[in-house]
């Protein structure tokens, strides 16, 4: 059962005289505060902080933390599809000092291990996807969308084809049409069927010579494959 206390502010839980901690007596000679802090920096009265016990304080923040969306506690319909389906082992690996403690301007000779790992990963992903090359430059899902759309735009320019539209399912993230617009395309919405998946008849009716890309996420925003 969720504790209703989590919906209350600390100020609402405050009780005069409650102490979160008891400070021991000062064991060194004390001096008047006015000698240590300039008079103009002193407040006229103590700040009106809430007065709560340590158990109340701890329970309050624990209860608040349990209101967060979490892949461990909730169905995760929105957010980065890469992150929400990653095993936690990936997060632990990303926190290794060789990754997490690097500086963007570190000398190249000090990051050869990282560059070797990235190069190997690019080759693995290219082989899996059947592509000649991939890029690890995008930092997130929306960044990846924009990168792919810019590549598509460059591809059709190279071929001398004028493509203007991107087909996007009606359950797609809001970043999809935003990325399409930033890449210079116009978004065309594709309907979903009663199962929450792309309506193939509606898709067929909207594909034409102006279509550049069909943006589809698997699983989709509803969590359906």
């Amino acid at each position: 059962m969720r504790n209703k206390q989590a919906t209350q502010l600390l100020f609402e839980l405050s009780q005069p005289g409650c102490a979160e901690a008891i400070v021991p007596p000062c064991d060194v000679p004390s001096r008047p505060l006015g000698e240590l802090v300039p008079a103009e920096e002193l407040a006229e009265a103590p700040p009106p902080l809430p007065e709560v016990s340590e158990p109340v304080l701890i329970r309050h923040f624990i209860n608040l933390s349990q209101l967060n969306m979490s892949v461990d506690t909730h169905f995760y319909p929105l957010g980065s599809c890469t992150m929400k389906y990653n095993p936690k082992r990936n997060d632990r690996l990303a926190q290794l000092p060789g990754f997490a403690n690097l500086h963007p301007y570190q000398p190249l000779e000090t990051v050869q291990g990282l560059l070797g790992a990235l190069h190997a990963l690019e080759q693995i992903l290219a082989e899996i996807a059947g592509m000649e090359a991939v890029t690890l430059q995008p930092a997130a899902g929306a960044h990846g969308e924009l990168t792919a759309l810019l590549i598509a735009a460059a591809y059709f320019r190279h071929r001398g084809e004028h493509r203007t539209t991107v087909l996007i399912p009606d359950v797609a993230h809001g970043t999809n049409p935003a990325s399409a617009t930033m890449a210079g395309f116009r978004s065309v919405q594709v309907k979903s069927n009663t199962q929450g998946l792309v309506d193939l008849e509606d898709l067929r009716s909207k594909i034409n010579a102006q279509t550049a890309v069909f943006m589809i996420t698997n699983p989709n925003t509803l969590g359906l494959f």
Side-chain angles (χ1 to χ4, degrees):
M1 182 181 296
R2 191 178 299 281
N3 193 337
K4 188 178 178 181
Q5 175 185 333
T7 63
Q8 295 178 276
L9 302 176
L10 282 177
F11 287 96
E12 297 173 313
L13 299 171
S14 178
Q15 296 290 334
C18 281
E20 184 271 328
I22 299 176
V23 181
C26 183
D27 58 357
V28 297
S30 61
R31 295 171 57 187
L33 190 59
E35 295 180 9
L36 303 174
V37 181
E40 63 272 15
E41 300 295 336
L42 292 173
E44 295 181 358
L49 298 177
E51 299 177 67
V52 294
S53 65
E54 183 175 357
V56 169
L57 181 68
I58 296 298
R59 290 171 189 148
H60 174 73
F61 284 106
I62 292 295
N63 287 332
L64 285 181
S65 73
Q66 293 173 347
L67 293 177
N68 290 338
M69 282 293 294
S70 165
V71 71
D72 297 320
T73 57
H74 299 81
F75 170 64
Y76 223 101
L78 287 171
S80 172
C81 299
T82 306
M83 294 170 65
K84 70 188 178 187
Y85 292 107
N86 270 354
K88 292 196 173 178
R89 178 182 298 274
N90 293 19
D91 293 325
R92 288 195 292 270
L93 292 174
Q95 293 168 4
L96 290 173
F99 295 118
N101 294 343
L102 295 180
H103 191 278
Y105 293 117
Q106 245 178 271
L108 288 179
E109 60 268 20
T110 68
V111 293
Q112 289 304 303
L114 171 67
L115 294 176
L118 294 177
H119 179 66
L121 177 58
E122 286 180 344
Q123 291 182 311
I124 291 170
L125 293 175
E127 181 178 353
I128 291 172
M131 297 182 177
E132 293 185 7
V134 301
T135 176
L136 302 179
Q137 182 64 28
H143 195 184
E145 292 172 8
L146 179 60
T147 301
L149 287 163
L150 291 174
I151 291 173
Y155 169 78
F156 288 117
R157 281 198 306 271
H158 178 73
R159 290 171 57 91
E161 298 182 35
H162 184 60
R163 304 288 186 107
T164 59
T165 61
V166 172
L167 304 182
I168 301 175
D170 57 6
V171 295
H173 294 208
T175 58
N176 292 34
S179 297
T181 300
M182 291 182 68
F185 293 109
R186 180 175 64 86
S187 299
V188 176
Q189 188 178 92
V190 179
K191 296 178 181 178
S192 297
N193 58 24
T194 55
Q195 283 76 44
L197 302 174
V198 170
D199 185 319
L200 296 182
E201 289 302 320
D202 191 56
L203 173 62
R204 291 188 186 96
S205 71
K206 291 175 178 175
I207 294 178
N208 54 45
Q210 300 303 307
T211 304
V213 174
F214 174 38
M215 295 183 73
I216 185 169
T217 304
N218 187 26
N220 68 10
T221 306
L222 301 178
L224 304 175
F225 289 84

